[in-house]
Amino acid sequence: MSSSSAPNASAQVTGHSTSHSSSAAELASLKVSLRAALRQFPDFPSPGILFEDILPIFADPTLHEALIRSLELHILESSGGQKPDVIVGLEARGFLMGPSLALRLGAAFVPVRKQGKLPGPCETQGYEKEYGTDFFQMQAGSIKPGQKVIVVDDIIATGGSAKAGGELIQKMGGELLGFIFLLELEFLHGRDKLPAPVHTLLTGQA
């Protein structure tokens, strides 16, 4: 009996390996397309900054689909196939990706907005900017205790706003699975501030 079950076990392992390899190859191909679509604008919005423009991705339905599929594959791979209950998008470009990603994963979408933009009772968290302090808010009760949450945004730079979003989730009792970004400006070391694993589709500036 044990000898007859061995091939089945071997087949399952091989099938899993093949599936993983296929997903990895698909993700690698999608990343190439996404990277090629980005535009860079030097000295915007101020001198010395190289601005990464992600909007061409959303102007092309094929690239838009590639982005959402890439985020889906990345989340499932990094979490061992575990899906989040909630996708949280940070103002403002997190709103471009968050709802579509949440729908793809069968999860809820919750926005994090600047103070004063959301109606009703809100949870508030401050964060430091270059000149002073700003505040993020989420509607009270939008994250239920124990819900598994992933935060999405376009770029991680200094990490201050993403950290505030994560702290809001933890205040409400959510389980913060991690953060996922399209692009990371590694030289700013923003990920070092964040209280959960950080994943990026594209690293560095080409």
Tab-separated table of all heavy atoms in Angstrom, residues 57-73 75-76 83-90 92-111 150 152-153 180:
chain	number	residue	atom	x	y	z
A	57	ILE	N	0.691	52.810	-17.514
A	57	ILE	CA	0.186	51.451	-17.264
A	57	ILE	C	-1.334	51.435	-17.303
A	57	ILE	O	-1.960	50.532	-17.864
A	57	ILE	CB	0.696	50.926	-15.909
A	57	ILE	CG1	2.204	50.689	-15.972
A	57	ILE	CG2	-0.037	49.649	-15.503
A	57	ILE	CD1	2.827	50.310	-14.635
A	58	PHE	N	-1.951	52.466	-16.735
A	58	PHE	CA	-3.410	52.510	-16.646
A	58	PHE	C	-4.057	52.992	-17.938
A	58	PHE	O	-5.269	52.836	-18.116
A	58	PHE	CB	-3.828	53.390	-15.462
A	58	PHE	CG	-3.348	52.851	-14.153
A	58	PHE	CD1	-2.142	53.288	-13.605
A	58	PHE	CD2	-4.066	51.890	-13.472
A	58	PHE	CE1	-1.680	52.778	-12.412
A	58	PHE	CE2	-3.611	51.364	-12.272
A	58	PHE	CZ	-2.410	51.807	-11.740
A	59	ALA	N	-3.258	53.543	-18.830
A	59	ALA	CA	-3.780	53.979	-20.130
A	59	ALA	C	-3.880	52.829	-21.125
A	59	ALA	O	-4.479	52.985	-22.189
A	59	ALA	CB	-2.884	55.077	-20.710
A	60	ASP	N	-3.310	51.686	-20.777
A	60	ASP	CA	-3.287	50.514	-21.647
A	60	ASP	C	-3.947	49.342	-20.922
A	60	ASP	O	-3.417	48.869	-19.912
A	60	ASP	CB	-1.837	50.170	-21.994
A	60	ASP	CG	-1.712	49.019	-22.974
A	60	ASP	OD1	-2.535	48.082	-22.922
A	60	ASP	OD2	-0.781	49.038	-23.801
A	61	PRO	N	-5.104	48.866	-21.398
A	61	PRO	CA	-5.806	47.782	-20.695
A	61	PRO	C	-4.955	46.529	-20.497
A	61	PRO	O	-5.067	45.857	-19.470
A	61	PRO	CB	-7.009	47.489	-21.606
A	61	PRO	CG	-7.234	48.745	-22.358
A	61	PRO	CD	-5.873	49.354	-22.560
A	62	THR	N	-4.084	46.223	-21.458
A	62	THR	CA	-3.237	45.035	-21.339
A	62	THR	C	-2.225	45.206	-20.203
A	62	THR	O	-1.994	44.283	-19.412
A	62	THR	CB	-2.493	44.771	-22.663
A	62	THR	OG1	-3.449	44.561	-23.697
A	62	THR	CG2	-1.608	43.534	-22.554
A	63	LEU	N	-1.639	46.397	-20.111
A	63	LEU	CA	-0.693	46.660	-19.037
A	63	LEU	C	-1.384	46.743	-17.675
A	63	LEU	O	-0.837	46.299	-16.660
A	63	LEU	CB	0.059	47.963	-19.316
A	63	LEU	CG	1.082	47.928	-20.450
A	63	LEU	CD1	1.593	49.331	-20.752
A	63	LEU	CD2	2.243	47.002	-20.088
A	64	HIS	N	-2.574	47.324	-17.669
A	64	HIS	CA	-3.353	47.396	-16.430
A	64	HIS	C	-3.628	45.990	-15.897
A	64	HIS	O	-3.442	45.693	-14.708
A	64	HIS	CB	-4.667	48.146	-16.697
A	64	HIS	CG	-5.411	48.516	-15.459
A	64	HIS	ND1	-6.539	49.317	-15.483
A	64	HIS	CD2	-5.228	48.197	-14.152
A	64	HIS	CE1	-6.994	49.466	-14.248
A	64	HIS	NE2	-6.222	48.787	-13.424
A	65	GLU	N	-4.046	45.102	-16.778
A	65	GLU	CA	-4.272	43.706	-16.399
A	65	GLU	C	-2.977	43.056	-15.926
A	65	GLU	O	-2.970	42.291	-14.953
A	65	GLU	CB	-4.848	42.938	-17.598
A	65	GLU	CG	-4.814	41.412	-17.476
A	65	GLU	CD	-5.600	40.864	-16.305
A	65	GLU	OE1	-6.581	41.512	-15.880
A	65	GLU	OE2	-5.236	39.781	-15.801
A	66	ALA	N	-1.860	43.366	-16.608
A	66	ALA	CA	-0.562	42.812	-16.222
A	66	ALA	C	-0.179	43.242	-14.809
A	66	ALA	O	0.382	42.452	-14.035
A	66	ALA	CB	0.508	43.250	-17.221
A	67	LEU	N	-0.474	44.488	-14.469
A	67	LEU	CA	-0.161	44.985	-13.127
A	67	LEU	C	-0.954	44.240	-12.062
A	67	LEU	O	-0.394	43.772	-11.063
A	67	LEU	CB	-0.453	46.487	-13.045
A	67	LEU	CG	-0.340	47.109	-11.651
A	67	LEU	CD1	1.055	46.938	-11.074
A	67	LEU	CD2	-0.730	48.581	-11.692
A	68	ILE	N	-2.263	44.127	-12.266
A	68	ILE	CA	-3.101	43.456	-11.269
A	68	ILE	C	-2.723	41.983	-11.148
A	68	ILE	O	-2.648	41.432	-10.041
A	68	ILE	CB	-4.598	43.615	-11.625
A	68	ILE	CG1	-4.982	45.108	-11.702
A	68	ILE	CG2	-5.466	42.898	-10.601
A	68	ILE	CD1	-4.644	45.901	-10.462
A	69	ARG	N	-2.451	41.342	-12.272
A	69	ARG	CA	-2.030	39.940	-12.239
A	69	ARG	C	-0.689	39.796	-11.516
A	69	ARG	O	-0.498	38.846	-10.730
A	69	ARG	CB	-1.930	39.404	-13.675
A	69	ARG	CG	-1.390	37.971	-13.781
A	69	ARG	CD	-2.277	36.979	-13.078
A	69	ARG	NE	-1.822	35.610	-13.317
A	69	ARG	CZ	-2.154	34.567	-12.554
A	69	ARG	NH1	-2.963	34.732	-11.513
A	69	ARG	NH2	-1.704	33.364	-12.838
A	70	SER	N	0.229	40.716	-11.743
A	70	SER	CA	1.537	40.666	-11.081
A	70	SER	C	1.385	40.806	-9.566
A	70	SER	O	2.021	40.066	-8.797
A	70	SER	CB	2.442	41.780	-11.603
A	70	SER	OG	2.747	41.607	-12.958
A	71	LEU	N	0.559	41.740	-9.136
A	71	LEU	CA	0.328	41.924	-7.708
A	71	LEU	C	-0.307	40.680	-7.098
A	71	LEU	O	0.074	40.240	-6.005
A	71	LEU	CB	-0.567	43.145	-7.476
A	71	LEU	CG	0.048	44.506	-7.816
A	71	LEU	CD1	-1.023	45.593	-7.795
A	71	LEU	CD2	1.166	44.859	-6.841
A	72	GLU	N	-1.265	40.099	-7.815
A	72	GLU	CA	-1.926	38.877	-7.338
A	72	GLU	C	-0.909	37.751	-7.177
A	72	GLU	O	-0.859	37.087	-6.128
A	72	GLU	CB	-3.017	38.469	-8.327
A	72	GLU	CG	-3.717	37.160	-7.955
A	72	GLU	CD	-4.624	36.651	-9.062
A	72	GLU	OE1	-4.433	37.035	-10.234
A	72	GLU	OE2	-5.511	35.834	-8.754
A	73	LEU	N	-0.108	37.513	-8.202
A	73	LEU	CA	0.893	36.442	-8.149
A	73	LEU	C	1.894	36.684	-7.022
A	73	LEU	O	2.274	35.749	-6.292
A	73	LEU	CB	1.633	36.341	-9.480
A	73	LEU	CG	0.859	35.745	-10.657
A	73	LEU	CD1	1.652	35.906	-11.951
A	73	LEU	CD2	0.545	34.272	-10.410
A	75	ILE	N	1.514	38.400	-4.234
A	75	ILE	CA	0.895	38.200	-2.917
A	75	ILE	C	0.727	36.721	-2.614
A	75	ILE	O	1.068	36.248	-1.519
A	75	ILE	CB	-0.462	38.937	-2.854
A	75	ILE	CG1	-0.233	40.446	-2.750
A	75	ILE	CG2	-1.291	38.451	-1.660
A	75	ILE	CD1	-1.497	41.268	-2.869
A	76	LEU	N	0.225	35.961	-3.576
A	76	LEU	CA	0.001	34.531	-3.342
A	76	LEU	C	1.320	33.793	-3.125
A	76	LEU	O	1.410	32.880	-2.295
A	76	LEU	CB	-0.758	33.925	-4.523
A	76	LEU	CG	-2.192	34.437	-4.723
A	76	LEU	CD1	-2.830	33.799	-5.940
A	76	LEU	CD2	-3.041	34.188	-3.478
A	83	LYS	N	-4.805	34.192	1.143
A	83	LYS	CA	-5.379	35.438	0.635
A	83	LYS	C	-5.759	36.361	1.794
A	83	LYS	O	-6.219	35.902	2.835
A	83	LYS	CB	-6.613	35.147	-0.221
A	83	LYS	CG	-6.311	34.438	-1.529
A	83	LYS	CD	-7.552	34.319	-2.388
A	83	LYS	CE	-7.236	33.674	-3.726
A	83	LYS	NZ	-8.424	33.607	-4.604
A	84	PRO	N	-5.584	37.668	1.598
A	84	PRO	CA	-5.981	38.625	2.637
A	84	PRO	C	-7.498	38.797	2.669
A	84	PRO	O	-8.189	38.537	1.682
A	84	PRO	CB	-5.299	39.915	2.194
A	84	PRO	CG	-5.236	39.801	0.700
A	84	PRO	CD	-4.997	38.334	0.430
A	85	ASP	N	-7.995	39.268	3.807
A	85	ASP	CA	-9.409	39.622	3.924
A	85	ASP	C	-9.667	41.033	3.405
A	85	ASP	O	-10.754	41.336	2.923
A	85	ASP	CB	-9.863	39.553	5.390
A	85	ASP	CG	-9.685	38.181	5.995
A	85	ASP	OD1	-10.180	37.206	5.398
A	85	ASP	OD2	-9.024	38.076	7.050
A	86	VAL	N	-8.641	41.883	3.530
A	86	VAL	CA	-8.790	43.298	3.186
A	86	VAL	C	-7.534	43.799	2.464
A	86	VAL	O	-6.412	43.475	2.864
A	86	VAL	CB	-9.011	44.175	4.446
A	86	VAL	CG1	-9.211	45.640	4.056
A	86	VAL	CG2	-10.206	43.674	5.256
A	87	ILE	N	-7.748	44.570	1.405
A	87	ILE	CA	-6.673	45.337	0.773
A	87	ILE	C	-6.872	46.793	1.169
A	87	ILE	O	-7.954	47.355	0.979
A	87	ILE	CB	-6.706	45.214	-0.758
A	87	ILE	CG1	-6.437	43.776	-1.203
A	87	ILE	CG2	-5.707	46.188	-1.397
A	87	ILE	CD1	-5.028	43.292	-0.929
A	88	VAL	N	-5.841	47.401	1.723
A	88	VAL	CA	-5.876	48.814	2.099
A	88	VAL	C	-5.036	49.596	1.103
A	88	VAL	O	-3.864	49.266	0.864
A	88	VAL	CB	-5.345	49.018	3.536
A	88	VAL	CG1	-5.012	50.492	3.781
A	88	VAL	CG2	-6.375	48.542	4.549
A	89	GLY	N	-5.629	50.631	0.493
A	89	GLY	CA	-4.919	51.485	-0.451
A	89	GLY	C	-4.624	52.837	0.165
A	89	GLY	O	-5.489	53.446	0.792
A	90	LEU	N	-3.379	53.291	0.006
A	90	LEU	CA	-2.974	54.582	0.554
A	90	LEU	C	-3.237	55.685	-0.457
A	90	LEU	O	-2.993	55.519	-1.656
A	90	LEU	CB	-1.485	54.562	0.905
A	90	LEU	CG	-1.006	53.479	1.883
A	90	LEU	CD1	0.480	53.649	2.158
A	90	LEU	CD2	-1.807	53.524	3.179
A	92	ALA	N	-2.563	58.701	-2.757
A	92	ALA	CA	-3.717	58.595	-3.626
A	92	ALA	C	-3.554	57.459	-4.640
A	92	ALA	O	-4.534	56.891	-5.110
A	92	ALA	CB	-3.926	59.897	-4.384
A	93	ARG	N	-2.317	57.126	-4.990
A	93	ARG	CA	-2.147	56.146	-6.071
A	93	ARG	C	-2.469	54.724	-5.643
A	93	ARG	O	-2.653	53.850	-6.485
A	93	ARG	CB	-0.742	56.253	-6.659
A	93	ARG	CG	-0.518	57.571	-7.392
A	93	ARG	CD	0.833	57.616	-8.083
A	93	ARG	NE	1.058	58.910	-8.710
A	93	ARG	CZ	1.606	59.955	-8.118
A	93	ARG	NH1	1.992	59.852	-6.850
A	93	ARG	NH2	1.776	61.095	-8.748
A	94	GLY	N	-2.543	54.476	-4.346
A	94	GLY	CA	-3.005	53.174	-3.886
A	94	GLY	C	-4.443	52.908	-4.287
A	94	GLY	O	-4.884	51.760	-4.378
A	95	PHE	N	-5.182	53.999	-4.579
A	95	PHE	CA	-6.569	53.861	-5.024
A	95	PHE	C	-6.646	53.361	-6.463
A	95	PHE	O	-7.677	52.845	-6.888
A	95	PHE	CB	-7.303	55.202	-4.935
A	95	PHE	CG	-7.356	55.797	-3.550
A	95	PHE	CD1	-7.771	57.107	-3.369
A	95	PHE	CD2	-6.981	55.073	-2.431
A	95	PHE	CE1	-7.831	57.676	-2.104
A	95	PHE	CE2	-7.029	55.631	-1.165
A	95	PHE	CZ	-7.452	56.935	-0.993
A	96	LEU	N	-5.564	53.545	-7.241
A	96	LEU	CA	-5.568	53.088	-8.630
A	96	LEU	C	-5.479	51.565	-8.723
A	96	LEU	O	-6.004	50.960	-9.649
A	96	LEU	CB	-4.383	53.703	-9.395
A	96	LEU	CG	-4.392	55.216	-9.582
A	96	LEU	CD1	-3.095	55.665	-10.233
A	96	LEU	CD2	-5.579	55.650	-10.423
A	97	MET	N	-4.781	50.967	-7.764
A	97	MET	CA	-4.539	49.523	-7.798
A	97	MET	C	-5.403	48.738	-6.818
A	97	MET	O	-5.798	47.603	-7.092
A	97	MET	CB	-3.063	49.250	-7.481
A	97	MET	CG	-2.100	49.912	-8.438
A	97	MET	SD	-0.369	49.693	-7.938
A	97	MET	CE	-0.255	50.918	-6.628
A	98	GLY	N	-5.660	49.340	-5.667
A	98	GLY	CA	-6.291	48.622	-4.572
A	98	GLY	C	-7.638	47.984	-4.875
A	98	GLY	O	-7.837	46.791	-4.617
A	99	PRO	N	-8.605	48.741	-5.420
A	99	PRO	CA	-9.923	48.140	-5.660
A	99	PRO	C	-9.889	46.965	-6.638
A	99	PRO	O	-10.533	45.939	-6.411
A	99	PRO	CB	-10.739	49.315	-6.227
A	99	PRO	CG	-10.092	50.534	-5.657
A	99	PRO	CD	-8.632	50.210	-5.644
A	100	SER	N	-9.139	47.098	-7.726
A	100	SER	CA	-9.056	46.003	-8.708
A	100	SER	C	-8.382	44.783	-8.106
A	100	SER	O	-8.797	43.640	-8.339
A	100	SER	CB	-8.282	46.461	-9.947
A	100	SER	OG	-8.937	47.528	-10.585
A	101	LEU	N	-7.321	45.008	-7.334
A	101	LEU	CA	-6.622	43.902	-6.686
A	101	LEU	C	-7.516	43.205	-5.669
A	101	LEU	O	-7.552	41.976	-5.597
A	101	LEU	CB	-5.354	44.428	-6.012
A	101	LEU	CG	-4.518	43.394	-5.262
A	101	LEU	CD1	-4.031	42.289	-6.183
A	101	LEU	CD2	-3.339	44.073	-4.566
A	102	ALA	N	-8.252	43.994	-4.887
A	102	ALA	CA	-9.167	43.418	-3.900
A	102	ALA	C	-10.229	42.553	-4.577
A	102	ALA	O	-10.533	41.449	-4.121
A	102	ALA	CB	-9.831	44.531	-3.090
A	103	LEU	N	-10.772	43.058	-5.673
A	103	LEU	CA	-11.792	42.297	-6.406
A	103	LEU	C	-11.211	40.986	-6.923
A	103	LEU	O	-11.853	39.934	-6.850
A	103	LEU	CB	-12.312	43.146	-7.568
A	103	LEU	CG	-13.544	42.636	-8.303
A	103	LEU	CD1	-14.746	42.547	-7.369
A	103	LEU	CD2	-13.870	43.553	-9.477
A	104	ARG	N	-9.979	41.029	-7.440
A	104	ARG	CA	-9.328	39.829	-7.963
A	104	ARG	C	-9.128	38.778	-6.868
A	104	ARG	O	-9.242	37.577	-7.111
A	104	ARG	CB	-7.982	40.211	-8.581
A	104	ARG	CG	-7.171	39.050	-9.159
A	104	ARG	CD	-7.814	38.475	-10.411
A	104	ARG	NE	-7.887	39.448	-11.471
A	104	ARG	CZ	-6.923	39.639	-12.382
A	104	ARG	NH1	-5.817	38.934	-12.346
A	104	ARG	NH2	-7.090	40.539	-13.328
A	105	LEU	N	-8.821	39.246	-5.659
A	105	LEU	CA	-8.523	38.335	-4.549
A	105	LEU	C	-9.753	37.979	-3.721
A	105	LEU	O	-9.655	37.203	-2.774
A	105	LEU	CB	-7.466	38.967	-3.639
A	105	LEU	CG	-6.070	39.139	-4.244
A	105	LEU	CD1	-5.202	39.997	-3.332
A	105	LEU	CD2	-5.412	37.789	-4.478
A	106	GLY	N	-10.903	38.562	-4.071
A	106	GLY	CA	-12.110	38.307	-3.282
A	106	GLY	C	-12.048	38.946	-1.909
A	106	GLY	O	-12.593	38.405	-0.941
A	107	ALA	N	-11.373	40.090	-1.823
A	107	ALA	CA	-11.187	40.778	-0.547
A	107	ALA	C	-11.935	42.108	-0.544
A	107	ALA	O	-12.353	42.612	-1.585
A	107	ALA	CB	-9.691	41.031	-0.297
A	108	ALA	N	-12.096	42.680	0.654
A	108	ALA	CA	-12.657	44.023	0.786
A	108	ALA	C	-11.577	45.046	0.445
A	108	ALA	O	-10.386	44.753	0.530
A	108	ALA	CB	-13.158	44.240	2.212
A	109	PHE	N	-12.006	46.258	0.064
A	109	PHE	CA	-11.070	47.359	-0.137
A	109	PHE	C	-11.397	48.472	0.845
A	109	PHE	O	-12.560	48.865	0.989
A	109	PHE	CB	-11.133	47.914	-1.560
A	109	PHE	CG	-10.292	49.155	-1.731
A	109	PHE	CD1	-8.916	49.058	-1.795
A	109	PHE	CD2	-10.883	50.414	-1.771
A	109	PHE	CE1	-8.123	50.202	-1.914
A	109	PHE	CE2	-10.109	51.566	-1.897
A	109	PHE	CZ	-8.722	51.452	-1.966
A	110	VAL	N	-10.360	48.995	1.500
A	110	VAL	CA	-10.522	50.097	2.451
A	110	VAL	C	-9.482	51.168	2.124
A	110	VAL	O	-8.289	50.872	2.026
A	110	VAL	CB	-10.344	49.612	3.900
A	110	VAL	CG1	-10.376	50.800	4.867
A	110	VAL	CG2	-11.433	48.606	4.265
A	111	PRO	N	-9.906	52.429	1.950
A	111	PRO	CA	-8.949	53.501	1.673
A	111	PRO	C	-8.405	54.153	2.944
A	111	PRO	O	-9.094	54.249	3.956
A	111	PRO	CB	-9.800	54.510	0.886
A	111	PRO	CG	-11.174	54.344	1.464
A	111	PRO	CD	-11.301	52.886	1.831
A	150	ILE	N	-3.440	43.521	3.746
A	150	ILE	CA	-2.256	43.897	2.983
A	150	ILE	C	-2.431	45.339	2.513
A	150	ILE	O	-3.498	45.720	2.033
A	150	ILE	CB	-2.034	42.961	1.782
A	150	ILE	CG1	-1.554	41.592	2.277
A	150	ILE	CG2	-1.013	43.546	0.794
A	150	ILE	CD1	-1.359	40.572	1.183
A	152	VAL	N	-1.349	48.393	-0.062
A	152	VAL	CA	-0.802	48.564	-1.408
A	152	VAL	C	-0.644	50.047	-1.723
A	152	VAL	O	-1.463	50.881	-1.333
A	152	VAL	CB	-1.704	47.873	-2.468
A	152	VAL	CG1	-3.087	48.510	-2.527
A	152	VAL	CG2	-1.056	47.896	-3.844
A	153	ASP	N	0.462	50.367	-2.404
A	153	ASP	CA	0.698	51.728	-2.875
A	153	ASP	C	1.640	51.643	-4.072
A	153	ASP	O	2.177	50.580	-4.373
A	153	ASP	CB	1.298	52.595	-1.770
A	153	ASP	CG	1.078	54.090	-2.011
A	153	ASP	OD1	0.360	54.440	-2.981
A	153	ASP	OD2	1.611	54.898	-1.243
A	180	ILE	N	2.801	45.912	-0.131
A	180	ILE	CA	3.263	45.637	-1.484
A	180	ILE	C	3.232	46.923	-2.301
A	180	ILE	O	2.260	47.687	-2.250
A	180	ILE	CB	2.446	44.515	-2.163
A	180	ILE	CG1	3.072	44.153	-3.512
A	180	ILE	CG2	0.972	44.889	-2.312
A	180	ILE	CD1	2.594	42.822	-4.058
